[in-house]
Amino acid sequence: MALTYPGDPKNPTNLLKSLVCHVTKRKADEVGPYFQHALRVIGSQMEPSIEKDEFQIAERIKKKLVRQGRQQDAARFSELHRKLQSQGTLKNRWSILYLLYELNADPKKMKTDGMAFFGAGLPSFSHSTPHGVGGIHSTPLSVGSMSGSAQSSGIGSAVSSINGPTPTPMSYPPSLAPTPGITPAAAIGNRLVSTLVGNPDTTVAKTTGHHDSRVRTRGPDEDNTSFEISESVLVRDVIFAFQGIEGQYLKQDTSGQGFTLDPNAGISRPCRDVIKKLSELGWLYMRVRKYVDDRSSDRAFGLVGQSFCAAIQEELIEYLRLIAVLEAQLNQEQDLGVNINTGNTLTLRRLLIWTYDPMVKMKALASLVDACKGKKGGALGTAIHSHTWTGDPFVKSSVRRILKLVSHPICSILYRWIYDGELEDTYHEFFVAADPTVKKDRLWHDKYTLRKSMLPSYITLDQARKILLIGKSINFTRQVCQDRTPIGGRSVTKTADLTPEQAEMLFTQEFNSKFQEIITLAYKDTSKHLLDILFTKYKFLEHLKAMRRYLLLGQGDFIRHLMDLLEDDLSKSATLLYLHNLTGVLETAIRGTNAQFDDPEILKRLDVRLLEVSPGDTGWDVFSLDYHVDGPISTVFTQQCLLMYLREFNFLWRAKRMEYILANIWRAQMDNSRRLHSIKEIAPVLHQCHVIAAEMVHFVHQMQYFITFEVLECAWDELWKQVTEAEDLDHIIAAHEVFLDSIISRSLLGDESKTLLTQLRAIFDLIIKFQYTQENFYQAALEELDSRLLVEKQNRIREEQGDWGGGAYDERGEIGRASCRERV
């Protein structure tokens, strides 16, 4: 008999009937059973076992349309959904979208009788409706029917038909009567479970006072492995353990190393093994949670550490979402009174499968926090980065996601350093360290250093040095050079606009060279800007040439003229020298040579310096030239470098003095050789003096040739080449230090040449002693010559007067000449 409902066609009953006819493809008089079934579904208090997420169901609809090749329909659906959201009329949009999704279900996956459509998506459990409608499940309930009803509607309460007679409830046995305080649905479900549990085909017989003889008695130290406790209770305990909470039978171990099951609880051995595996997830969660809780409140942990805690917290929130879904499903099943093992029921084995990925991730997080204990800043980044070298793509993606958030503070500090020269490192996490006590004159050398313990492993040492140089160059330009002009050619990235995705380039350099390009560009721009200032504004190259000309005796005419002017003064005792007198002589030497054409800025830096006086020193031993440096050029010409220049100057000045002495010796020999030619007795001595002087001149000339050309000129040519091709100030400083080390060691002034230097100084002393000896010899010889000439003159006069021989006067003269010959 056809069901008829007079009234408005838009009446809900008529609309539902039309929907049933449309879905089942049947006539109105053939859909009676289906219509009654639909009424029960609508009248039930059940809800689908999926989460009420409007966005999720909308995405599922769009994905389904795309899989069917209906991209245009998917785009149109998105537009219609957007319009639907903009309207406030509909309050339950999720239900409408879910209905549309189920209406579009694949007919091949649905039962032919149309019943499964109305039950699709609802919790799968056996029917507990206490009354039947003709043609629908009129057979008695059984275990077989229960197990085959996974796709049925699962109605849990009686539903009054709309505009129809109310069905008469079926009477129940006393044992299945409703329990006070329990909802009808839950009561019916509980009664159904009680009925099923009482079925000997599906359950294990309960233990009674009369034990079977085949049942073994449990020992005092053995666990109870019976099946007394239902699996749903164990599942709830396991879910509690996932959150680090003790359950009814699953307690925390006293050692804090996991969870233990109550040995007296009736739990089978396989279930105990599964629960032990599952409880490991809760123990790992507790370890990770404890680390986050302990370090989140520690301000000394720094920005990088707080970012790490935030990243771990996000992973834990994602994990807790899964636990919330599992717990919600468990609560829903228990509210419905479903405790049997149906298709969608939570079981321990399903939990073992569903928590496999969370277990892998939680193990990775626990290993990560163990490796990061006691670390902060860049060292923390290194510890995290070491965990990315794994073959598990799931773990690798999780660690990379954490590393991306951890690297964000490091990248922010780095960008601020290379673009603004500002080091905002309150918690000492960055690999560049600053010493605020260092003064400006030592800014380049001592103020900024690399803190290698905080250098992340994904940033190479070469990159770290360039990063250090970039920031140093900016600060040196602004603070020491007093130049604040912007550095051109750079695209500045504001740290406020920096995202974690951009920070990812720090540790993905094997796939992306963007970070290397940024560092290289900033390094070249800042270094070029600094060198241009040094070469143009502060005339660094001119100062370098002045050092070569004056302190390394490269200006030959100036040095020779200075020696001529200072000979008389420097021959005196060192205690009789006055600095202002020597300064005046220096100015005279400058005005009398080509040095006068040098830059006045350079000439005013040239000065006289007197070394510490020792007893017996002459002016030659304490005299030295000095060159005053300040400002940016003092960064290259440090006090240590000036001391090395002073050592080299003293050596070269002494060697130049030997040349000057030998020139005077040669001049004296040339002047006196003819005058003393008449004294035949001293001819061998004069010849020997000439030979010794020639050997000394040859030795000093060869030594000066070696020092000037083989040492100074070669080293200077290499220095000039490296300075003009230098990429940064550090290269200039290094080249200059190598130049000084080279000339010091090759000039026999190094520690390894002390023996040779001692012998060389002994030779210099012999040259000076030879000069004094020759001067005395020539003085005595000239006196002898004058005496002889006087005697000859007197004898000639006496011969002219007719006298003979010599008198007493001649005898006294002869005695004086003998004494002179002895001195010679």
Side-chain angles (χ1 to χ4, degrees):
M1 177 179 178
L3 299 174
T4 59
Y5 298 91
D8 188 1
K10 294 184 178 181
N11 183 279
T13 303
N14 294 329
L15 292 175
L16 178 61
K17 181 180 179 182
S18 301
L19 178 62
V20 172
C21 293
H22 177 75
V23 172
T24 58
K25 309 298 184 182
R26 298 173 183 267
K27 296 180 181 180
D29 55 351
E30 298 177 354
V31 296
Y34 306 106
F35 179 69
Q36 292 291 338
H37 185 72
L39 287 177
R40 290 199 304 277
V41 172
I42 294 176
S44 67
Q45 297 180 0
M46 299 299 176
E47 294 181 352
S49 60
I50 63 175
E51 186 179 358
K52 291 185 178 181
D53 190 341
E54 179 184 353
F55 174 77
Q56 182 181 5
I57 193 63
E59 288 297 317
R60 291 174 65 181
I61 293 175
K62 286 190 287 186
K63 289 180 181 179
K64 189 170 186 177
L65 292 174
V66 171
R67 285 197 300 268
Q68 294 176 355
R70 300 164 60 184
Q71 286 80 2
Q72 295 182 354
D73 291 343
R76 185 182 178 189
F77 171 79
S78 298
E79 181 64 21
L80 293 175
H81 182 230
R82 185 186 61 79
K83 293 181 179 180
L84 183 64
Q85 287 178 318
S86 62
Q87 297 178 0
T89 305
L90 297 176
K91 301 299 183 182
N92 197 11
R93 294 189 297 271
W94 174 86
S95 300
I96 297 176
L97 294 176
Y98 183 74
L99 177 62
L100 294 175
Y101 179 77
E102 292 296 338
L103 287 174
N104 194 35
D106 189 358
K108 295 180 180 180
K109 297 181 180 180
M110 300 175 61
K111 291 186 177 181
T112 56
D113 60 358
M115 295 295 182
F117 170 76
F118 297 102
L122 294 176
S124 299
F125 57 93
S126 300
H127 294 282
S128 57
T129 307
H131 58 84
V133 180
I136 301 180
H137 301 288
S138 56
T139 59
L141 294 175
S142 64
V143 174
S145 64
M146 298 302 168
S147 61
S149 62
Q151 296 182 359
S152 63
S153 62
I155 306 301
S157 62
V159 181
S160 300
S161 61
I162 303 175
N163 296 330
T166 301
T168 304
M170 184 182 298
S171 60
Y172 289 91
S175 61
L176 297 181
T179 303
I182 301 179
T183 58
I188 297 170
N190 290 333
R191 288 193 297 271
L192 176 60
V193 173
S194 300
T195 303
L196 291 177
V197 170
N199 193 335
D201 296 333
T202 59
T203 61
V204 180
K206 294 183 180 180
T207 305
T208 61
H210 303 282
H211 294 281
D212 195 296
S213 59
R214 292 172 298 175
V215 179
R216 184 175 61 89
T217 305
R218 180 168 61 94
D221 297 332
E222 296 180 2
D223 295 339
N224 186 357
T225 57
S226 64
F227 293 83
E228 297 175 357
I229 302 175
S230 65
E231 190 170 4
S232 61
V233 175
L234 298 177
V235 168
R236 178 168 292 278
D237 273 18
V238 169
I239 292 179
F240 284 161
F242 286 165
Q243 306 168 66
I245 304 173
E246 292 184 346
Q248 184 177 357
Y249 302 103
L250 195 57
K251 306 292 184 180
Q252 289 190 18
D253 192 277
T254 54
S255 61
Q257 298 298 318
F259 290 86
T260 57
L261 276 170
D262 185 358
N264 297 321
I267 304 173
S268 64
R269 179 64 63 185
C271 285
R272 287 181 177 273
D273 294 340
V274 173
I275 292 173
K276 183 177 180 181
K277 293 180 181 179
L278 289 171
S279 64
E280 182 183 359
L281 180 59
W283 174 66
L284 295 172
Y285 168 77
M286 291 169 60
R287 287 176 56 191
V288 177
R289 167 59 63 187
K290 185 177 185 302
Y291 177 85
V292 174
D293 293 341
D294 293 343
R295 304 300 287 175
S296 296
S297 58
D298 186 6
R299 294 182 58 86
F301 201 27
L303 298 177
V304 177
Q306 296 300 328
S307 298
F308 177 58
C309 290
I312 295 293
Q313 185 67 34
E314 288 186 6
E315 298 294 334
L316 295 182
I317 290 175
E318 188 67 26
Y319 165 77
L320 291 176
R321 286 197 185 101
L322 171 64
I323 303 304
V325 171
L326 295 176
E327 190 170 6
Q329 184 171 350
L330 180 63
N331 291 336
Q332 188 178 36
E333 292 175 0
Q334 292 187 353
D335 290 343
L336 297 176
V338 179
N339 292 328
I340 61 174
N341 188 15
T342 58
N344 291 335
T345 305
L346 276 177
T347 62
L348 294 176
R349 293 193 176 275
R350 284 195 177 93
L351 282 180
L352 194 63
I353 296 173
W354 291 345
T355 58
Y356 176 78
D357 286 344
M359 179 74 77
V360 173
K361 180 184 291 187
M362 201 59 67
K363 285 182 179 179
L365 293 180
S367 174
L368 197 59
V369 297
D370 287 343
C372 294
K373 288 182 179 179
K375 294 182 174 62
K376 59 180 288 187
L380 182 64
T382 298
I384 299 173
H385 183 253
S386 64
H387 283 71
T388 60
W389 301 104
T390 176
D392 191 339
F394 177 70
V395 175
K396 186 173 184 178
S397 62
S398 300
V399 177
R400 279 181 174 268
R401 186 164 57 250
I402 295 173
L403 185 59
K404 180 166 58 176
L405 296 177
V406 170
S407 300
H408 185 259
I410 297 177
C411 193
S412 299
I413 299 174
L414 188 149
Y415 269 50
R416 193 68 179 271
W417 171 251
I418 66 175
Y419 287 121
D420 300 328
E422 298 179 4
L423 189 60
E424 294 185 351
D425 187 18
T426 308
Y427 303 101
H428 307 292
E429 303 172 280
F430 198 49
F431 54 85
V432 175
D435 186 358
T437 61
V438 176
K439 297 181 180 180
K440 289 183 179 180
D441 58 339
R442 298 295 300 174
L443 182 145
W444 187 270
H445 297 282
D446 300 332
K447 186 167 186 178
Y448 300 106
T449 55
L450 275 181
R451 190 187 287 126
K452 293 185 179 180
S453 61
M454 291 298 170
L455 179 63
S457 58
Y458 45 83
I459 297 179
T460 64
L461 187 59
D462 181 64
Q463 289 176 338
R465 287 172 178 164
K466 286 187 176 181
I467 292 169
L468 173 66
L469 283 175
I470 293 170
K472 278 205 305 186
S473 299
I474 296 175
N475 285 280
F476 185 83
T477 303
R478 294 176 180 175
Q479 299 181 32
V480 181
C481 299
Q482 300 298 320
D483 184 274
R484 295 189 174 274
T485 57
I487 301 175
R490 297 194 307 178
S491 57
V492 180
T493 300
K494 296 182 179 179
T495 55
D497 300 334
L498 190 66
T499 61
E501 285 70 24
Q502 291 173 307
E504 189 176 3
M505 64 183 175
L506 294 179
F507 56 88
T508 58
Q509 298 184 50
E510 63 271 20
F511 309 110
N512 184 7
S513 61
K514 184 179 179 181
F515 176 69
Q516 180 64 36
E517 294 172 357
I518 291 174
I519 297 302
T520 303
L521 181 60
Y523 166 74
K524 289 182 178 179
D525 291 341
T526 53
S527 299
K528 182 177 182 300
H529 181 72
L530 174 57
L531 294 183
D532 288 344
I533 294 174
L534 284 178
F535 291 165
T536 56
K537 182 178 179 180
Y538 292 96
K539 302 178 181 179
F540 170 76
L541 296 179
E542 284 73 11
H543 290 293
L544 191 62
K545 292 178 181 178
M547 290 286 190
R548 173 69 179 93
R549 288 198 302 269
Y550 298 114
L551 296 188
L552 299 181
L553 310 188
Q555 190 79 16
D557 60 334
F558 166 76
I559 298 300
R560 179 68 187 188
H561 188 51
L562 181 63
M563 279 190 168
D564 292 338
L565 296 176
L566 291 173
E567 182 179 10
D568 294 338
D569 292 330
L570 297 183
S571 298
K572 302 176 184 178
S573 174
T575 58
L576 300 177
L577 295 180
Y578 297 98
L579 194 60
H580 60 277
N581 293 337
L582 299 178
T583 303
V585 174
L586 175 64
E587 293 177 354
T588 303
I590 292 174
R591 289 194 299 267
T593 58
N594 289 331
Q596 62 182 316
F597 301 110
D598 277 346
D599 192 334
E601 174 67 22
I602 292 176
L603 294 178
K604 74 178 184 179
R605 294 176 181 270
L606 191 61
D607 198 2
V608 174
R609 179 177 181 178
L610 294 178
L611 303 180
E612 185 177 353
V613 179
S614 299
D617 284 346
T618 63
W620 293 102
D621 299 321
V622 298
F623 175 83
S624 176
L625 290 180
D626 194 14
Y627 194 86
H628 299 292
V629 293
D630 56 9
I633 61 173
S634 65
T635 301
V636 180
F637 302 111
T638 60
Q639 290 299 320
Q640 184 179 2
C641 292
L642 293 178
L643 289 176
M644 298 177 73
Y645 273 112
L646 181 60
R647 290 181 61 191
E648 188 69 23
F649 174 83
N650 290 332
F651 174 76
L652 296 175
W653 180 258
R654 191 174 181 85
K656 200 72 175 179
R657 182 193 175 194
M658 296 303 104
E659 181 185 5
Y660 187 79
I661 290 174
L662 290 173
N664 291 336
I665 290 174
W666 179 83
R667 189 184 302 112
Q669 288 178 349
M670 294 300 102
D671 292 341
N672 297 319
S673 59
R674 293 182 180 180
R675 296 175 61 183
L676 300 175
H677 180 69
S678 59
I679 306 177
K680 302 300 182 180
E681 298 90 338
I682 65 172
V685 177
L686 290 176
H687 176 72
Q688 189 66 28
C689 288
H690 288 181
V691 172
I692 294 175
E695 291 179 353
M696 289 182 174
V697 169
H698 176 75
F699 174 79
V700 170
H701 283 178
Q702 291 298 317
M703 184 198 66
Q704 285 196 326
Y705 170 83
F706 171 75
I707 297 298
T708 303
F709 295 99
E710 299 294 337
V711 177
L712 292 179
E713 287 300 327
C714 293
W716 173 259
D717 183 68
E718 184 66 24
L719 171 64
W720 190 260
K721 179 181 178 181
Q722 292 185 9
V723 167
T724 54
E725 296 177 356
E727 296 181 355
D728 56 56
L729 184 56
D730 263 354
H731 286 172
I732 293 178
I733 295 174
H736 183 248
E737 291 177 351
V738 169
F739 166 74
L740 290 177
D741 291 338
S742 175
I743 64 175
I744 289 293
S745 61
R746 299 183 67 187
S747 297
L748 309 180
L749 298 178
D751 294 337
E752 67 278 2
S753 305
K754 286 183 177 181
T755 304
L756 290 176
L757 182 61
T758 302
Q759 296 176 359
L760 185 61
R761 288 177 177 175
I763 294 174
F764 288 168
D765 293 338
L766 288 175
I767 293 174
I768 297 174
K769 186 176 181 180
F770 177 75
Q771 181 192 23
Y772 291 143
T773 303
Q774 181 176 272
E775 288 178 354
N776 293 332
F777 172 76
Y778 281 135
Q779 182 180 359
L782 290 175
E783 289 179 0
E784 174 67 19
L785 179 62
D786 291 342
S787 298
R788 290 187 178 190
L789 292 176
L790 179 60
V791 170
E792 289 179 359
K793 182 179 178 181
Q794 290 176 353
N795 289 336
R796 191 168 52 251
I797 293 174
R798 294 180 65 181
E799 287 177 357
E800 291 176 357
Q801 293 177 356
D803 293 336
W804 299 91
Y809 175 80
D810 295 333
E811 293 178 359
R812 290 194 300 269
E814 186 62 27
I815 294 173
R817 289 193 297 271
S819 176
C820 180
R821 285 194 296 271
E822 290 177 0
R823 293 201 315 268
V824 172

